[in-house]
Amino acid sequence: MTTATPPPGTRTDERAEPQRLRIIGTPQRKVDAVAKVTGQTRFADDMALPRMLHAKLLRSTVAHARIIGIDTSRAEALDGVKAVLTGGDLPTPFGILPVSQDEHALAPDRARFVGDPVAAVAAVSEEIATVALDLIDVQYEELTAITSPEQALATPEPRIHDYGPEGNLHKIVDLEFGDVEHGFAEADHVREDLFFYEGNTHLPMEQHAALADWSADGKLTLWSSTQTPHYVHRALAKVLELAPARVRVIACPNGGGFGGKSDPFSHEIVVAKFAMVTGRPVKIALTREEVFYCHRGRHPTLMWVKSGVTRDGAIKGMHFKTLLDGGAYGSYGVASTYYTGALQTVTYHVERYKFQGARVFTNKPPCGPKRGHGTPQPRYALEVHLDKLAEDLGIDPADLRLDHLVPPDSVTANYLKVGSIGLGECISRVTAGAGWKEKFRRLPLGKGVGLACSSYLSGAGLPIYWNHMPHSGVQLKLDRSGGVTVFCGSTDIGQGSDSILAYIVAEVLGVEVGDIQVVTADTDLTPVDLGSYSSRVTLMSGNAALQAAERAREVLSRHAAIKLDVPEVRLGFAANRVFDVEDPEQGMSFAEAVEAAEAAEGTIGTVGSYSPPRSPGRYRGAGVGPSPAYSYSAAVAEVEVDPSSGIVTVPKIWIAHDIGRCINPVTVMGQVEGSVYMGLGEALMEEMAYRSKPGLVHKIPSMLEYKSPTTLEMCDVETYLIEDPDPNGPFGAKEAGQGPLLPVPPAIANAVYDAVGVRVDEVPITPEKVLQALKRKENGEEPRYGPDSFPAIDWPKPTRVPPPWEGGDGRAADGEDGTMKRGTVEGTPFPEERQH
């Protein structure tokens, strides 16, 4: 299958320089600067074949500072350096969300974290570019560095950014669905808990890389390891002030992404600018340390949850508060904040629900969407909280969950439309497989089992830039040889999405998968797809492919029916044939059917597209959480805890995932077990750690020091795929790429308690924390390790939305100021509603 057009020539030998240098569309000052460096005074468009240049970024060495001056003269004079850029060369801000356009390709006036790019060099080799970075002199005026959310709340000045509600707050949310205090009053038992989930990063095997080329006719092409070529395309056009039709982005097959490659990044814009400045292909490959600086990983999140329940565990009211450490830039942070409160209601019925969330800026690498985007943290808190409630009530945790599941085809308190839900079967399968009833609270000291459940989106219900256009499109080209080519803008980041497109088309048209060619992730050649994030590709691109294939089948049926003298309704497509299902011998080859259609209508091509159904929520903030379908997972973890060392090992995890309908069981199993691996790392060892002095330097920016599980730490996994087809998915399919991670950390935390009787209400669950909790238990104190307070926050007036069972219609009760308006997100107008 073809997935991308190959990049231009990458010759990097030291042969003679071309006689003429081509610089197109560049300000005269830059032409003069390059002329000074190269000694070249003549410029023309007929230069020899361009030779690859290599770019490197100079990154800030201080966490927070004004940039007083940058002297690049020594770098420019170095032999082999072809161009140098600073923030003034790229003054236009960008960002993934329209409400957080707060990043610059190179910081123009202020550095906001150690690692923030401030200058860039392009040279004939990576080594020369690296040496040149040391020749750039930057003068900083250091500012107070904000090191924690608590400090951010207490230190309104200096502001890291000049937008947001106030001080160093980025986003603050207060939503209430029914009178939660009344729910607590009705409850038989009320409990509140505090939890903390440490930040961690994606750790893909492949680092970020990009290559740009500027053609003689003034067109930019960028090859990049990105999950979102469409949004990178948008950022390039904006920052470089190019017509979108003059920008082409090709997403190369990714060696892992997990959300870390779903923002537009500085290095992509810098190499594009260098290509325009020099007229030569320019490449950049980030080091592993630089990938840690790019980050966009899991937000460190402090959580407080209070629930009121009846004696049988029914949730009468729930109040959930979150405080997110967002790092230095907005990224997806507004959405991340909402996600920490959105999905608590789609697993167990919550009668009344209140969510308050706040995200602050700190002088650390920016956080963003890591696998599960904003939902693993609250899921961890909720599932451990439920475990504690079950113990308070004397109910088996599995029974408590089974007795209070959200019913299928229902609407939650916060107006999320739930379709199929296979969670009950998931719980039954893992508890039976693990021998839950025989093991829970019955194993010897040091051994335990824990249960947790979860749910996740099968694609976000709204695009980043709201409009009425499809979220995904597919074009099919049917060839008279019998081959079919699928064109789609989706990006394969290792999850196998290209193959899913082929399987769906092959199934509808009855051809071999080997006869399908797939062309993806090229903004010039493929229809728009919004990207590989939110577990959206199988459902959204799959539905678009399904529609295109069904339309192609209709065209072929029309003309095959005439040739075979058979009613269209009796035609079947299978085994590369079109035939009469009542007389299978009467038929023709698929290629002959294409020829018949092409002879009658000309070249055969069809299109398909997909837009999600409208969400019932119409209040401000309702745009985060809706999905065409929700997947469900349940996991049982078995742990062994050494009370003398605090070391936790996980011999086995049983996990069941409600996939809807399994299109390819092998790839689904791979996604589920990969999620278990990542969840295991987050639960036991992974964290983004910083040295407070000097100035928030990353403590472990390498794969050697950043601890993640190896094959020695990875547990055995027994996987159950639960098929409960959802009508909104192609052939009933739902997501598998992110949801199965969510139950793993809380299942392990609950198992630790079963093993040694202490609660570690903080992730990762390290030996030091286990030992401290055991020490407290030994001293007769609360057997727990975790946060002990939630800081005071001046919350805004809540948006109150009556839940459906109280006569609500999805709109805020307090009128227009809390109701979502067309063309806005969180009340902020979009400048270009017609575009994604």
Side-chain angles (χ1 to χ4, degrees):
M1 289 181 278
T2 304
T3 59
T5 303
T10 57
R11 186 159 55 95
T12 58
D13 57 80
E14 294 300 321
R15 282 177 262 184
E17 292 289 315
Q19 293 299 307
R20 297 176 185 272
L21 180 65
R22 167 171 54 93
I23 300 183
I24 298 174
T26 306
Q28 187 59 44
R29 62 181 178 82
K30 187 57 67 175
V31 174
D32 295 340
V34 176
K36 176 182 177 183
V37 174
T38 62
Q40 190 87 20
T41 57
R42 298 176 61 215
F43 301 91
D45 287 344
D46 60 347
M47 66 175 290
L49 181 69
R51 186 159 62 85
M52 180 77 71
L53 297 179
H54 296 263
K56 296 292 287 185
L57 297 173
L58 179 67
R59 296 179 180 274
S60 172
T61 57
V62 295
H64 196 194
R66 292 188 183 90
I67 299 172
I68 303 302
I70 301 181
D71 183 355
T72 63
S73 58
R74 291 195 299 152
E76 292 174 0
L78 182 66
D79 188 33
V81 171
K82 298 303 176 185
V84 178
L85 295 174
T86 60
D89 298 303
L90 293 161
T92 304
F94 68 96
I96 186 64
L97 298 185
V99 293
S100 300
Q101 300 282 299
D102 59 2
E103 299 187 58
H104 288 83
L106 300 169
D109 53 13
R110 190 190 296 191
R112 292 178 168 87
F113 68 97
V114 174
D116 210 357
V118 297
V121 173
V124 296
S125 72
E126 189 173 12
E127 293 76 12
I128 292 174
T130 301
V131 170
L133 294 183
D134 292 335
L135 301 178
I136 299 175
D137 297 312
V138 184
Q139 290 181 290
Y140 296 107
E141 178 189 321
E142 290 201 46
L143 301 170
T144 301
I146 306 298
T147 64
S148 69
E150 291 78 8
Q151 184 188 2
L153 291 171
T155 312
E157 296 290 341
R159 298 188 75 181
I160 296 174
H161 290 283
D162 293 330
Y163 74 99
E166 61 181 9
N168 285 302
L169 269 173
H170 176 209
K171 183 65 183 176
I172 189 164
V173 179
D174 195 325
L175 298 171
E176 187 165 6
F177 306 92
D179 186 342
V180 172
E181 292 300 324
H182 183 67
F184 294 152
E186 288 185 346
D188 297 313
H189 178 68
V190 177
R191 180 185 181 95
E192 59 184 80
D193 288 297
L194 274 164
F195 301 93
F196 178 68
Y197 202 109
E198 183 59 271
N200 49 66
T201 200
H202 315 81
L203 214 69
M205 292 297 290
E206 177 197 49
Q207 292 127 248
H208 300 61
L211 187 156
D213 183 51
W214 179 250
S215 68
D217 60 351
K219 185 163 187 177
L220 174 70
T221 302
L222 179 82
W223 291 260
S224 182
S225 56
T226 179
Q227 297 176 229
T228 54
H230 174 68
Y231 290 118
V232 173
H233 178 274
R234 185 185 183 97
L236 289 172
K238 177 187 176 185
V239 175
L240 301 176
E241 299 180 331
L242 294 172
R246 291 281 175 173
V247 178
R248 180 184 186 186
V249 176
I250 301 169
C252 305
N254 282 203
F258 313 114
K261 298 173 182 175
S262 52
D263 284 72
F265 282 102
S266 295
H267 63 273
E268 294 166 320
I269 297 170
V270 164
V271 292
K273 182 67 172 180
F274 272 139
M276 294 171 66
V277 166
T278 63
R280 298 165 68 161
V282 183
K283 176 182 178 180
I284 189 167
L286 302 190
T287 65
R288 178 61 61 179
E289 182 174 348
E290 288 181 295
V291 175
F292 276 86
Y293 295 142
C294 285
H295 193 36
R296 317 300 160 124
R298 188 85 69 219
H299 285 74
T301 305
L302 179 66
M303 295 161 286
W304 175 89
V305 56
K306 178 179 180 180
S307 294
V309 296
T310 60
R311 288 182 180 85
D312 68 350
I315 302 172
K316 302 296 290 183
M318 180 182 291
H319 185 178
F320 209 100
K321 292 193 287 190
T322 63
L323 175 59
L324 291 76
D325 182 342
Y329 291 101
S331 184
Y332 285 83
V334 169
S336 306
T337 306
Y338 279 107
Y339 272 127
T340 60
L343 300 190
Q344 281 85 320
T345 60
V346 298
T347 42
Y348 320 108
H349 179 67
V350 179
E351 193 169 323
R352 301 174 183 90
Y353 179 59
K354 181 176 178 65
F355 168 62
Q356 293 173 308
R359 184 183 193 262
V360 296
F361 290 119
T362 60
N363 293 116
K364 302 174 187 174
C367 298
K370 186 187 174 187
R371 199 173 195 169
H373 188 193
T375 66
Q377 303 98 313
R379 181 54 57 178
Y380 162 77
L382 176 60
E383 293 296 319
V384 177
H385 177 65
L386 284 176
D387 218 56
K388 295 181 181 184
L389 282 168
E391 184 171 50
D392 293 347
L393 297 170
I395 300 174
D396 184 297
D399 294 337
L400 183 144
R401 289 167 169 85
L402 282 168
D403 290 344
H404 300 290
L405 298 177
V406 168
D409 301 312
S410 62
V411 178
T412 68
N414 56 337
Y415 288 88
L416 301 181
K417 178 69 172 69
V418 174
S420 65
I421 171 170
L423 182 54
E425 181 64 16
C426 288
I427 295 172
S428 298
R429 293 291 290 275
V430 294
T431 52
W436 174 262
K437 294 292 185 182
E438 295 74 36
K439 294 177 180 176
F440 179 65
R441 299 291 192 265
R442 297 173 184 268
L443 295 175
L445 179 67
K447 295 187 177 183
V449 290
L451 169 70
C453 303
S454 68
S455 178
Y456 196 64
L457 318 167
S458 295
L462 289 171
I464 290 173
Y465 287 79
W466 288 10
N467 57 76
H468 300 294
M469 290 183 289
H471 291 213
S472 187
V474 165
Q475 293 176 320
L476 297 187
K477 177 180 75 69
L478 278 63
D479 189 83
R480 62 185 68 170
S481 68
V484 180
T485 304
V486 183
F487 297 89
C488 182
S490 62
T491 307
D492 199 315
I493 58 174
Q495 82 280 39
S497 61
D498 283 3
S499 65
I500 293 298
L501 296 174
Y503 298 149
I504 289 173
V505 172
E507 178 73 18
V508 174
L509 296 181
V511 299
E512 295 294 325
V513 172
D515 294 336
I516 307 286
Q517 300 296 318
V518 179
V519 179
T520 55
D522 185 327
T523 60
D524 262 15
L525 301 183
T526 60
V528 167
D529 178 84
L530 300 184
S532 290
Y533 62 90
S534 296
S535 282
R536 57 178 300 284
V537 177
T538 293
L539 189 140
M540 296 196 179
S541 298
N543 271 324
L546 182 64
Q547 185 182 75
E550 288 174 341
R551 288 173 173 173
R553 178 170 168 151
E554 290 174 6
V555 173
L556 299 185
S557 294
R558 190 159 56 244
H559 300 287
I562 295 172
K563 285 283 187 180
L564 298 174
D565 193 23
V566 172
E568 289 183 46
V569 294
R570 277 173 40 192
L571 289 180
F573 286 68
N576 284 72
R577 296 182 66 243
V578 181
F579 54 90
D580 183 352
V581 295
E582 295 183 4
D583 181 11
E585 295 300 318
Q586 186 178 1
M588 61 175 61
S589 70
F590 181 80
E592 289 171 335
V594 174
E595 289 176 1
E598 187 173 347
E601 296 191 18
T603 301
I604 304 301
T606 60
V607 298
S609 58
Y610 179 75
S611 296
R614 181 174 174 175
S615 165
R618 303 306 300 158
Y619 57 90
R620 183 179 301 170
V624 176
S627 178
Y630 297 93
S631 72
Y632 291 88
S633 304
V636 170
E638 187 171 80
V639 306
E640 296 177 356
V641 183
D642 182 351
S644 64
S645 67
I647 293 174
V648 179
T649 56
V650 182
K652 188 167 183 177
I653 287 178
W654 293 260
I655 186 163
H657 184 64
D658 167 22
I659 184 64
R661 174 65 60 80
C662 201
I663 293 177
N664 183 336
V666 174
T667 57
V668 171
M669 296 277 276
Q671 288 292 293
V672 172
E673 292 173 9
S675 290
V676 170
Y677 164 83
M678 189 168 281
L680 181 69
E682 294 193 17
L684 297 181
M685 62 190 74
E686 296 191 36
E687 59 181 325
M688 288 284 281
Y690 299 89
R691 304 180 193 275
S692 57
K693 295 180 180 180
L696 287 180
V697 176
H698 202 297
K699 195 173 183 179
I700 45 176
S702 75
M703 291 187 75
L704 175 65
E705 298 170 298
Y706 181 91
K707 300 304 180 186
S708 63
T710 68
T711 54
L712 296 177
E713 289 83 33
M714 180 58 183
C715 59
D716 291 336
V717 181
E718 188 162 336
T719 304
Y720 307 94
L721 300 182
I722 307 303
E723 291 196 301
D724 183 10
D726 193 287
N728 283 333
F731 302 109
K734 299 195 285 192
E735 75 88 33
Q738 302 189 62
L741 180 152
L742 274 63
V744 175
I748 292 172
N750 290 335
V752 168
Y753 179 72
D754 189 43
V756 290
V758 299
R759 290 286 182 185
V760 180
D761 291 339
E762 182 174 306
V763 164
I765 304 168
T766 62
E768 295 83 359
K769 296 171 186 176
V770 174
L771 286 176
Q772 288 192 46
L774 286 169
K775 184 69 172 178
R776 290 174 62 88
K777 180 182 180 182
E778 183 182 329
N779 292 339
E781 303 173 59
E782 183 185 12
R784 173 185 178 270
Y785 181 95
D788 56 14
S789 64
F790 195 99
I793 296 175
D794 186 14
W795 300 102
K797 177 185 176 183
T799 296
R800 294 188 172 90
V801 184
W805 40 88
E806 293 182 6
D809 62 358
R811 299 181 182 274
D814 45 8
E816 188 175 327
D817 63 339
T819 300
M820 191 167 57
K821 302 175 181 64
R822 181 178 178 270
T824 68
V825 61
E826 321 320 335
T828 302
F830 283 165
E832 298 174 271
E833 189 186 358
R834 67 184 182 281
Q835 298 185 25
H836 283 289

Coordinates of all heavy atoms in Angstrom, one line a residue, residues 781-824:
E781 N -1.7 5.4 62.0 CA -2.3 6.5 61.2 C -3.1 6.0 60.0 O -3.1 4.8 59.8 CB -1.2 7.5 60.8 CG -0.3 8.0 61.9 CD 0.9 8.7 61.4 OE1 0.7 9.7 60.6 OE2 2.1 8.3 61.6
E782 N -3.7 7.0 59.3 CA -4.4 6.6 58.1 C -3.5 5.8 57.1 O -2.4 6.4 56.8 CB -5.0 7.8 57.4 CG -5.9 7.4 56.2 CD -6.4 8.6 55.4 OE1 -5.9 9.8 55.7 OE2 -7.3 8.4 54.6
P783 N -3.8 4.6 56.7 CA -2.8 3.8 55.9 C -2.9 4.3 54.4 O -3.4 3.6 53.5 CB -3.3 2.4 56.0 CG -4.8 2.6 56.3 CD -5.0 3.8 57.1
R784 N -2.3 5.4 54.2 CA -2.5 6.1 52.9 C -1.3 7.0 52.6 O -0.7 7.6 53.5 CB -3.7 6.9 52.9 CG -4.0 7.8 51.7 CD -5.2 8.7 51.9 NE -5.4 9.6 50.7 CZ -4.9 10.8 50.6 NH1 -4.1 11.3 51.6 NH2 -5.1 11.5 49.5
Y785 N -1.0 7.1 51.3 CA 0.0 8.1 50.8 C -0.7 8.8 49.7 O -1.3 8.2 48.8 CB 1.2 7.4 50.2 CG 2.2 8.5 49.7 CD1 3.3 8.9 50.5 CD2 2.1 9.0 48.4 CE1 4.2 9.9 50.1 CE2 3.0 10.0 48.0 CZ 4.0 10.4 48.8 OH 4.9 11.3 48.4
G786 N -0.7 10.2 49.7 CA -1.3 10.9 48.7 C -1.5 12.4 49.1 O -1.1 12.8 50.2
P787 N -2.1 13.2 48.3 CA -2.2 14.6 48.6 C -3.2 14.8 49.7 O -4.1 14.0 50.0 CB -2.8 15.2 47.3 CG -3.5 14.1 46.6 CD -2.6 12.9 46.9
D788 N -3.0 15.9 50.5 CA -3.9 16.2 51.6 C -4.7 17.4 51.5 O -5.5 17.7 52.5 CB -3.0 16.2 52.9 CG -1.9 17.2 52.8 OD1 -2.0 18.1 52.0 OD2 -1.0 17.2 53.7
S789 N -4.6 18.2 50.4 CA -5.4 19.4 50.3 C -5.6 19.8 48.9 O -4.7 19.4 48.0 CB -4.8 20.5 51.1 OG -3.6 20.9 50.6
F790 N -6.7 20.5 48.6 CA -6.9 21.1 47.3 C -6.9 22.6 47.4 O -7.7 23.1 48.3 CB -8.3 20.6 46.7 CG -8.5 20.8 45.2 CD1 -8.2 19.8 44.3 CD2 -8.9 22.1 44.8 CE1 -8.4 20.0 43.0 CE2 -9.1 22.3 43.4 CZ -8.8 21.3 42.5
P791 N -6.1 23.3 46.7 CA -6.0 24.8 47.0 C -7.3 25.5 46.7 O -8.2 25.1 45.9 CB -4.9 25.2 46.0 CG -4.9 24.2 44.9 CD -5.3 22.9 45.6
A792 N -7.5 26.6 47.4 CA -8.7 27.4 47.2 C -8.6 28.1 45.8 O -7.6 28.7 45.5 CB -8.8 28.5 48.3
I793 N -9.7 28.1 45.1 CA -9.8 28.7 43.8 C -11.0 29.5 43.7 O -12.1 29.1 44.2 CB -9.8 27.6 42.6 CG1 -8.5 26.8 42.6 CG2 -10.0 28.2 41.3 CD1 -8.4 25.7 41.6
D794 N -10.9 30.7 43.1 CA -12.1 31.6 43.0 C -12.9 31.1 41.8 O -12.6 31.6 40.7 CB -11.6 33.0 42.9 CG -12.8 34.0 42.8 OD1 -13.9 33.6 43.2 OD2 -12.5 35.2 42.5
W795 N -13.7 30.2 42.0 CA -14.5 29.6 40.8 C -15.5 30.6 40.3 O -16.0 31.4 41.0 CB -15.2 28.3 41.2 CG -14.3 27.3 41.8 CD1 -14.1 26.9 43.1 CD2 -13.5 26.4 41.0 NE1 -13.2 25.9 43.1 CE2 -12.8 25.5 41.9 CE3 -13.3 26.2 39.6 CZ2 -11.9 24.5 41.5 CZ3 -12.4 25.3 39.2 CH2 -11.7 24.4 40.1
P796 N -15.7 30.6 39.0 CA -16.7 31.5 38.4 C -18.1 31.1 38.7 O -18.4 30.0 39.3 CB -16.5 31.4 36.9 CG -16.0 30.0 36.7 CD -15.1 29.7 38.0
K797 N -19.1 31.9 38.4 CA -20.5 31.5 38.6 C -20.8 30.2 37.8 O -20.4 30.1 36.6 CB -21.4 32.6 38.1 CG -22.9 32.3 38.1 CD -23.7 33.4 37.5 CE -25.2 33.0 37.4 NZ -26.0 34.1 36.8
P798 N -21.4 29.2 38.3 CA -21.5 27.9 37.6 C -22.6 28.1 36.5 O -23.5 28.9 36.6 CB -22.1 27.0 38.7 CG -22.7 27.9 39.7 CD -21.9 29.1 39.7
T799 N -22.3 27.3 35.4 CA -23.3 27.1 34.4 C -24.2 25.9 34.8 O -23.7 24.8 35.0 CB -22.7 26.8 33.0 OG1 -21.9 27.9 32.6 CG2 -23.7 26.5 32.0
R800 N -25.5 26.2 35.1 CA -26.4 25.2 35.6 C -27.2 24.7 34.5 O -27.9 25.4 33.8 CB -27.2 25.8 36.7 CG -26.4 26.1 38.0 CD -27.3 26.5 39.2 NE -26.6 26.7 40.4 CZ -26.0 27.8 40.8 NH1 -26.2 28.9 40.0 NH2 -25.3 27.9 41.9
V801 N -27.2 23.4 34.3 CA -28.0 22.7 33.2 C -28.8 21.6 33.9 O -28.2 20.6 34.4 CB -27.0 22.1 32.2 CG1 -27.8 21.5 31.0 CG2 -26.0 23.1 31.7
P802 N -30.1 21.7 33.9 CA -30.9 20.6 34.4 C -30.7 19.3 33.6 O -30.7 19.3 32.4 CB -32.4 21.1 34.2 CG -32.2 22.6 34.0 CD -30.9 22.8 33.4
P803 N -30.5 18.2 34.3 CA -30.3 16.9 33.6 C -31.6 16.5 32.9 O -32.7 17.0 33.2 CB -30.0 15.9 34.7 CG -30.5 16.6 36.0 CD -30.4 18.0 35.8
P804 N -31.5 15.5 32.0 CA -32.7 15.2 31.2 C -33.9 14.7 32.0 O -35.0 15.1 31.7 CB -32.2 14.0 30.3 CG -30.7 14.2 30.3 CD -30.3 14.8 31.6
W805 N -33.7 14.0 33.1 CA -34.8 13.5 33.9 C -35.4 14.6 34.8 O -36.3 14.3 35.6 CB -34.3 12.3 34.8 CG -32.9 12.4 35.3 CD1 -32.6 13.0 36.5 CD2 -31.7 12.0 34.7 NE1 -31.2 13.0 36.7 CE2 -30.7 12.4 35.6 CE3 -31.4 11.4 33.5 CZ2 -29.3 12.1 35.3 CZ3 -30.1 11.1 33.2 CH2 -29.1 11.4 34.1
E806 N -34.8 15.8 34.8 CA -35.5 16.9 35.5 C -36.1 17.9 34.5 O -36.3 19.1 34.8 CB -34.4 17.6 36.4 CG -34.0 16.7 37.6 CD -33.0 17.4 38.5 OE1 -32.8 18.6 38.3 OE2 -32.5 16.7 39.4
G807 N -36.3 17.4 33.3 CA -36.9 18.3 32.3 C -36.0 19.1 31.5 O -36.4 20.0 30.7
G808 N -34.7 18.9 31.6 CA -33.7 19.7 30.9 C -33.7 19.4 29.4 O -34.1 18.3 29.0
D809 N -33.3 20.4 28.6 CA -33.2 20.2 27.1 C -31.8 20.4 26.6 O -31.6 20.6 25.4 CB -34.2 21.2 26.4 CG -33.8 22.7 26.7 OD1 -32.8 22.9 27.4 OD2 -34.4 23.6 26.1
G810 N -30.8 20.3 27.5 CA -29.4 20.5 27.1 C -28.9 21.9 27.1 O -27.7 22.1 26.9
R811 N -29.8 22.8 27.5 CA -29.4 24.2 27.6 C -29.2 24.7 29.0 O -29.9 24.1 29.9 CB -30.4 25.1 26.8 CG -30.5 24.8 25.4 CD -31.5 25.7 24.6 NE -31.6 25.3 23.3 CZ -30.8 25.8 22.3 NH1 -29.8 26.6 22.6 NH2 -31.0 25.4 21.0
A812 N -28.4 25.7 29.2 CA -28.2 26.2 30.5 C -29.5 26.9 31.1 O -30.2 27.6 30.3 CB -27.1 27.3 30.5
A813 N -29.8 26.7 32.3 CA -31.0 27.2 32.9 C -30.9 28.7 33.1 O -31.9 29.4 33.2 CB -31.2 26.5 34.3
D814 N -29.6 29.2 33.2 CA -29.5 30.6 33.6 C -29.3 31.5 32.3 O -28.8 32.6 32.3 CB -28.3 30.9 34.5 CG -27.1 30.1 34.1 OD1 -27.1 29.5 33.0 OD2 -26.1 30.1 34.9
G815 N -29.7 30.9 31.2 CA -29.9 31.8 30.0 C -28.8 31.8 29.0 O -27.9 31.0 29.0
E816 N -28.8 32.9 28.3 CA -27.9 33.0 27.1 C -26.4 32.9 27.4 O -25.7 32.4 26.6 CB -28.2 34.3 26.4 CG -27.6 34.5 25.0 CD -28.0 35.7 24.3 OE1 -29.2 36.1 24.5 OE2 -27.2 36.3 23.6
D817 N -26.0 33.5 28.6 CA -24.6 33.5 28.9 C -24.0 32.1 29.1 O -22.8 32.0 29.1 CB -24.3 34.4 30.1 CG -24.9 33.9 31.4 OD1 -25.9 33.1 31.3 OD2 -24.4 34.3 32.4
G818 N -24.8 31.1 29.4 CA -24.3 29.8 29.5 C -24.6 28.9 28.4 O -24.5 27.7 28.5
T819 N -25.2 29.4 27.3 CA -25.6 28.6 26.2 C -24.7 28.7 25.0 O -24.2 29.8 24.7 CB -27.0 29.0 25.8 OG1 -27.9 28.8 26.9 CG2 -27.5 28.1 24.6
M820 N -24.3 27.6 24.4 CA -23.4 27.5 23.3 C -24.0 28.3 22.1 O -25.2 28.1 21.8 CB -23.2 26.1 23.0 CG -22.1 25.8 22.0 SD -21.7 24.0 22.0 CE -23.3 23.3 21.6
K821 N -23.2 29.0 21.5 CA -23.7 29.8 20.3 C -23.0 29.2 19.0 O -21.9 28.7 19.1 CB -23.3 31.3 20.5 CG -23.9 31.9 21.7 CD -23.5 33.3 21.9 CE -24.0 34.0 23.1 NZ -23.6 33.3 24.3
R822 N -23.7 29.4 17.9 CA -23.2 28.9 16.7 C -21.9 29.6 16.3 O -21.8 30.8 16.4 CB -24.2 29.2 15.6 CG -23.8 28.7 14.2 CD -24.9 28.9 13.2 NE -24.6 28.5 11.9 CZ -24.0 29.3 11.0 NH1 -23.7 30.5 11.3 NH2 -23.7 28.9 9.8
G823 N -20.9 28.8 15.9 CA -19.6 29.4 15.4 C -18.7 29.8 16.5 O -17.8 30.6 16.3
T824 N -18.9 29.3 17.8 CA -18.1 29.6 18.9 C -17.7 28.4 19.6 O -18.3 27.4 19.6 CB -18.7 30.6 19.9 OG1 -19.8 29.9 20.5 CG2 -19.3 31.8 19.2

